[in-house]
Amino acid sequence: MNVTFGTIVRLALLVLVTVVLQLAVITQMTVLDADPDLFPLVVLSVGLLAGPIPGATTGFLLGLVADMALLQTLGVTSLLLIGVGYLAGRYRELRDASHRLVPVIGAMIGTLAYAASFALVQFLLGVESPVSPLVIHEAIVGALLNALIAMPVYAAVRFILRSDLVDDLRPRRRPSATGLRLTGPGTSPGLLRSSRNR
């Protein structure tokens, strides 16, 4: 990812728009007593498109703005979203993230891990919240809803960051099994044959 002043402005606008959309619009649309969560989706998309450092940075900023907007304990959401963005970026570096189902499956797994980790951190901090099967139901339905809207969110983030992406998720080539080939003006065919026979 090419980091320029325009990149920073675009990421800041992406963070602000995500928080406003989540708190003002998305939380009002409940399906089966659950609602989608844009926070892990946007951070996952940035990680898959730009790598671990931009993903973790976006997660930190998004979590910080969300905690300030919701008047929650500062740093909890940031900590969890840093993990989501960094792991998505590491997956991009280690595997081929160009498959169409990667954002969908990543959204489901990332949302479930984010919800479970958030509940665990809240419990460890001593925040009193009801523990019931409804919480598990809400987390599972929320993960399914996030999987349904993962592709439009991924496409929107890709459109916003398109000019800053170095390689637009081209499939990575596997190294060839034939080894190094020596070709050039000073290479003799006998040398090539002997290097292949080794």
Side-chain angles (χ1 to χ4, degrees):
M1 179 174 200
N2 294 326
V3 180
T4 61
F5 180 73
T7 309
I8 297 169
V9 170
R10 277 188 283 279
L11 283 176
L13 287 175
L14 178 66
V15 165
L16 289 175
V17 168
T18 302
V19 171
V20 169
L21 274 178
Q22 177 65 36
L23 299 182
V25 179
I26 301 294
T27 55
Q28 308 301 322
M29 304 184 317
T30 57
V31 178
L32 298 173
D33 296 328
D35 53 343
D37 192 356
L38 290 179
F39 297 159
L41 284 182
V42 169
V43 172
L44 179 94
S45 299
V46 173
L48 287 175
L49 288 168
I53 302 301
T57 305
T58 305
F60 172 76
L61 294 174
L62 188 59
L64 189 65
V65 173
D67 284 341
M68 288 190 295
L70 293 171
L71 301 174
Q72 297 182 135
T73 307
L74 282 180
V76 173
T77 309
S78 292
L79 177 68
L80 301 176
L81 290 177
I82 284 173
V84 171
Y86 183 78
L87 291 175
R90 285 298 292 161
Y91 181 84
R92 177 188 184 274
E93 287 181 346
L94 298 175
R95 304 276 182 205
D96 184 16
S98 63
H99 195 277
R100 290 184 178 208
L101 289 180
V102 168
V104 176
I105 295 171
M108 198 153 63
I109 293 172
T111 303
L112 281 175
Y114 171 73
S117 302
F118 191 81
L120 179 66
V121 169
Q122 294 288 78
F123 173 74
L124 292 175
L125 290 175
V127 177
E128 297 202 9
S129 58
V131 178
S132 68
L134 293 175
V135 175
I136 299 171
H137 166 77
E138 184 178 340
I140 292 173
V141 173
L144 292 174
L145 291 174
N146 271 6
L148 287 176
I149 65 169
M151 286 310 293
V153 171
Y154 181 79
V157 171
R158 186 176 182 176
F159 177 76
I160 292 169
L161 299 178
R162 182 186 314 162
S163 61
D164 302 316
L165 299 176
V166 176
D167 56 350
D168 199 12
L169 281 184
R170 292 186 187 98
R172 290 166 173 72
R173 285 193 270 162
R174 297 177 186 234
S176 63
T178 58
L180 181 65
R181 293 186 182 175
L182 301 173
T183 57
T187 308
S188 66
L191 179 63
L192 286 175
R193 263 185 252 114
S194 65
S195 65
R196 282 188 200 137
N197 294 334
R198 287 181 189 169

